Amino acid sequence: MRRFKFNDLPKEMMLQILSRLPVEFVLISKLVCRQWRDLIRHPSFYQEYLDHLSSAAADDDSGKLGFIFFSYDQGMKIYYIEHDENSHETLFSGITRMNLNPPFNDWSCIGSQNGLICFDSRYMGMSNKHHSGPAYVCNPVTREYVVLLDTEGVYLWTGFGYSCETNEYKVVRSCFDSIDPNVGTAQVYTLGSGGGWRNVAKINNMNRKHDRQHGVFANGALHWENEHRESILAFHLTEEKFSELPLPPAGVPYISIELGVLGGFLSATYYREDIGNEIWLLKKNKETCDFRWSKEFSFDSNMQKPLEFTKSRRLLCYKNTKVYSYDLKASSAKVVSVDKFINQAIRHKNTLVSLRLLGERDTKTMESCERASSREETENGGKLKKRRTIRNL
């Protein structure tokens, strides 16, 4: 009887099997033999891997969600962390230090799309105006990065998104008019296009009061809070056109409003001083097919920032060094300390999306990054006990 060999399978079947492996095992598989390495390096593999990852996530019952935490305490540090809903002792399965090292003195994260993370630099110019420098896009798994060519200007609204219709990743920024400060120009950089920054649209009555906003990506568009909090400005990536959306009904005065993405929906969180906070979601009406705001949750926390809904419809929020998991029905929360000061947190998934295969000619490779992994055990906000190992990506 002839023994079965994996390498005897048709290439299409081998690709299907390899695309179902966790990303860390895919990286190890490249070292097994030349045939596996060539399969994984094939231009079609990373897209097939991403497509499977996206379809599997919709049916996944494991309750695992990936996030990136940004901590500016004692220097800027980036951590990857996985939420494990099935864990009874802790909300998270571990923390991994990511040494991405954007080549700027001062930077901020614009967003994460399909494993690609986009940063920009920020600095104070001679005229005491905030400037935004070149964008930096990287994939921490493939260790590829690219610095987008910059032009002079004052850039305040920025964003990073992915158009599934055109399979394009786009970085968006707004440039103020030197003559009329209330008029701006939207500029777009499409990864792999070779066209650099393009002027695509004029923006009237730009909001300069709330400068340096990072656009929130949902429903194929980037969203920013517009002037005087009267509306939301949306930039649709495929058509590269603007539209305006109404804000949810405020009802009573509020301290601030924050846009985000929860459960795949555009969210708006109203923060109030004494009467609690509200979370609204922009949902599509099945009968009329238009989008309407729906009030989803109220909580009395002191400026906690919503992070995501879990598979069991619990709400994750964060503040300082703690993450809160709310039962939406009972409004009760499980509290866990992550032992890191969280200044910003975003959803992220590890993929093999390649900047080179997208067409970025100036793609470079990061130096071998060290990942500091910690395994944590805690009970309802108790102190973490960590066992840390260092290994290469």
Side-chain angles (χ1 to χ4, degrees):
M1 183 176 178
R2 185 172 179 268
R3 287 188 176 184
F4 167 78
K5 293 183 179 180
F6 180 80
N7 289 350
D8 292 336
L9 292 173
K11 288 185 178 180
E12 293 76 12
M13 189 174 294
M14 294 174 67
L15 283 171
Q16 287 289 327
I17 295 173
L18 290 172
S19 66
R20 284 162 169 76
L21 294 176
V23 68
E24 58 267 25
F25 290 113
V26 174
L27 297 177
I28 295 173
S29 299
K30 290 171 61 177
L31 306 176
V32 172
C33 64
R34 182 178 298 177
Q35 185 177 5
W36 290 21
R37 182 199 65 188
D38 292 343
L39 280 172
I40 293 171
R41 287 182 176 178
H42 193 275
S44 63
F45 179 77
Y46 88 84
Q47 187 63 46
E48 187 165 347
Y49 188 87
L50 178 62
D51 292 342
H52 173 73
L53 196 66
S54 300
S55 61
D59 302 323
D60 186 16
D61 293 325
S62 66
K64 288 188 177 181
L65 299 170
F67 303 96
I68 295 178
F69 287 173
F70 299 87
S71 178
Y72 303 151
D73 186 27
Q74 296 180 349
M76 298 182 184
K77 296 181 178 65
I78 308 171
Y79 302 92
Y80 175 76
I81 190 168
E82 280 191 352
H83 169 266
D84 189 354
E85 196 166 42
N86 296 323
S87 174
H88 298 290
E89 295 184 356
T90 177
L91 293 176
F92 300 100
S93 56
I95 299 178
T96 301
R97 170 80 180 276
M98 304 172 74
N99 291 338
L100 302 183
N101 298 324
F104 314 128
N105 293 327
D106 193 10
W107 51 264
S108 59
C109 178
I110 300 176
S112 172
Q113 298 293 332
N114 294 336
L116 297 180
I117 309 173
C118 184
F119 302 88
D120 71 354
S121 66
R122 54 187 178 182
Y123 58 93
M124 190 75 74
M126 296 280 297
S127 58
N128 291 327
K129 296 178 180 179
H130 289 289
H131 292 246
S132 181
Y136 173 85
V137 182
C138 67
N139 185 331
V141 174
T142 65
R143 294 189 294 164
E144 295 176 339
Y145 75 91
V146 63
V147 178
L148 309 187
L149 294 177
D150 190 31
T151 54
E152 293 183 1
V154 180
Y155 307 104
L156 296 183
W157 290 357
T158 58
F160 180 51
Y162 170 71
S163 171
C164 57
E165 289 86 356
T166 60
N167 192 29
E168 292 177 324
Y169 297 84
K170 298 183 179 182
V171 184
V172 181
R173 67 187 186 186
S174 64
C175 176
F176 280 118
D177 192 296
S178 59
I179 300 176
D180 187 349
N182 294 316
V183 176
T185 301
Q187 299 179 333
V188 173
Y189 187 107
T190 303
L191 291 179
S193 68
W197 290 100
R198 297 177 290 111
N199 294 338
V200 296
K202 286 289 184 181
I203 314 172
N204 295 317
N205 299 319
M206 286 195 68
N207 178 10
R208 299 193 68 168
K209 180 180 178 181
H210 303 283
D211 56 3
R212 294 210 48 80
Q213 287 192 54
H214 292 157
V216 174
F217 183 72
N219 302 323
L222 288 163
H223 302 83
W224 298 270
E225 180 192 348
N226 210 349
E227 190 172 9
H228 306 308
R229 303 185 181 121
E230 293 180 351
S231 65
I232 296 172
L233 188 68
F235 180 77
H236 305 271
L237 286 191
T238 302
E239 301 87 356
E240 296 187 346
K241 293 182 178 179
F242 283 99
S243 66
E244 276 196 295
L245 303 172
L247 284 168
V252 295
Y254 54 91
I255 300 173
S256 63
I257 182 172
E258 182 172 307
L259 301 181
V261 179
L262 295 174
F265 300 102
L266 179 68
S267 68
T269 302
Y270 283 116
Y271 293 99
R272 297 186 173 92
E273 189 170 359
D274 298 321
I275 59 175
N277 311 311
E278 295 178 351
I279 294 178
W280 294 71
L281 299 183
L282 188 66
K283 293 184 174 181
K284 193 172 186 178
N285 188 290
K286 294 181 179 179
E287 296 180 356
T288 61
C289 292
D290 61 340
F291 287 90
R292 298 180 182 178
W293 288 104
S294 171
K295 183 179 175 181
E296 296 291 317
F297 187 60
S298 299
F299 59 110
D300 296 327
S301 65
N302 181 17
M303 299 302 288
Q304 291 176 16
K305 295 185 177 182
L307 182 56
E308 185 55 285
F309 286 123
T310 69
K311 288 289 182 179
S312 62
R313 297 295 293 173
R314 293 181 70 92
L315 173 67
L316 298 179
C317 297
Y318 68 95
K319 181 185 177 184
N320 297 337
T321 61
K322 293 181 172 59
V323 176
Y324 303 79
S325 176
Y326 283 94
D327 185 326
L328 295 185
K329 295 180 180 179
S331 295
S332 58
K334 179 181 180 181
V335 185
V336 170
S337 174
V338 295
D339 199 30
K340 312 290 181 187
F341 195 95
I342 308 171
N343 294 85
Q344 182 185 2
I346 60 174
R347 279 292 307 273
H348 177 78
K349 56 185 174 183
N350 291 322
T351 72
L352 298 167
V353 174
S354 169
L355 290 167
R356 287 189 179 90
L357 294 179
L358 286 175
E360 279 299 319
R361 296 179 181 178
D362 294 328
T363 299
K364 298 178 177 61
T365 301
M366 290 182 256
E367 296 181 2
S368 182
C369 297
E370 290 184 335
R371 301 167 66 189
S373 301
S374 65
R375 193 169 184 173
E376 39 187 289
E377 297 176 1
T378 187
E379 291 185 4
N380 295 329
K383 293 184 178 179
L384 293 174
K385 296 179 180 180
K386 297 179 291 182
R387 184 172 58 200
R388 182 166 292 160
T389 60
I390 306 293
R391 60 191 177 91
N392 287 334
L393 243 173

